[in-house]
């Protein structure tokens, strides 16, 4: 890793951490920052920023800038397209082949994730390890990945 003018390693690499709700994001930032003060920015959702030397995946600990934010549950809603499934007497078997529509639950959350992901090298997903958390993790990755730097990697936190 390149050094800056002070001889310290460059902190130009940014790690984006995304939790399932704002209170968990704050707890993660507090724990990972090692008790140091961090900067919090209010937007669609709070984002906490700090610099720390932490291991990621199989890599040795290195000094990086960290952004910790969250979503508020699902990022997208999935519904059936308008049509014959609109009534209660629709054939249940038709549900398996019916077209669906995916739409953002909140344009503000999608915009927030896109903005905080811009230029980050790593994305760490801190979502619950249940079926719903896994679904939300894929939704977050879907929004964030196009905005990550060319060195991108997506990691799943286990806790």
């Amino acid at each position: 890793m390149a050094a800056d003018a002070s001889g310290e390693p460059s902190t130009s690499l940014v790690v984006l951490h995304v939790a399932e709700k704002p209170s968990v994001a704050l707890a993660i930032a507090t724990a990972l920052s090692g008790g140091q003060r961090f900067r919090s920015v209010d937007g669609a959702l709070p984002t906490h920023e700090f610099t720390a030397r932490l291991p990621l995946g199989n890599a040795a600990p290195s000094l990086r800038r960290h952004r910790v934010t969250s979503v508020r549950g699902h990022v997208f809603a999935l519904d059936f397209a308008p049509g014959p499934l609109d009534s209660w007497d629709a054939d249940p078997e038709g549900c398996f082949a019916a077209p669906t529509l995916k739409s953002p639950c909140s344009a503000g959350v999608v915009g927030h994730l896109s903005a905080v992901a811009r230029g980050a090298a790593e994305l760490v997903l801190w979502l619950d390890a249940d079926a719903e958390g896994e679904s939300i993790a894929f939704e977050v990755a879907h929004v964030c990945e196009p905005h990550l730097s060319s060195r991108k990697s997506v990691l799943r936190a286990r806790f």
Side-chain angles (χ1 to χ4, degrees):
M1 181 179 283
D4 65 15
S6 69
E8 278 293 309
S10 169
T11 57
S12 60
L13 287 178
V14 175
V15 180
L16 174 62
H17 303 264
V18 180
E20 201 160 328
K21 55 188 172 186
S23 62
V24 174
L26 177 59
I28 291 167
T30 301
L32 293 181
S33 68
Q36 69 174 304
R37 289 180 53 103
F38 50 84
R39 187 177 82 117
S40 294
V41 179
D42 285 327
L45 291 157
T47 302
H48 313 290
E49 299 180 352
F50 59 93
T51 300
R53 186 177 306 277
L54 298 170
L56 286 175
N58 295 327
S62 61
L63 193 62
R64 294 196 171 122
R65 289 187 309 135
H66 297 265
R67 288 183 199 138
V68 185
T69 193
S70 70
V71 293
R72 284 193 179 106
H74 282 280
V75 179
F76 293 101
L78 189 64
D79 207 348
F80 290 115
L85 295 176
D86 287 342
S87 69
W88 284 101
D89 59 344
D91 175 20
E93 286 188 29
C95 296
F96 294 102
T100 57
L101 298 174
K102 182 170 140 178
S103 59
C105 291
S106 164
V109 171
V110 172
H112 171 73
L113 288 174
S114 298
V116 295
R118 206 167 318 299
E122 284 115 1
L123 171 63
V124 182
L125 301 166
W126 293 82
L127 298 131
D128 292 348
D130 57 15
E132 185 176 23
E134 291 299 315
S135 177
I136 296 169
F138 277 99
E139 293 170 3
V140 169
H142 174 78
V143 172
C144 292
E145 278 187 297
H147 304 287
L148 299 175
S149 73
S150 60
R151 290 190 53 173
K152 66 183 172 189
S153 68
V154 178
L155 303 167
R156 186 72 168 90
R158 291 190 289 177
F159 55 96

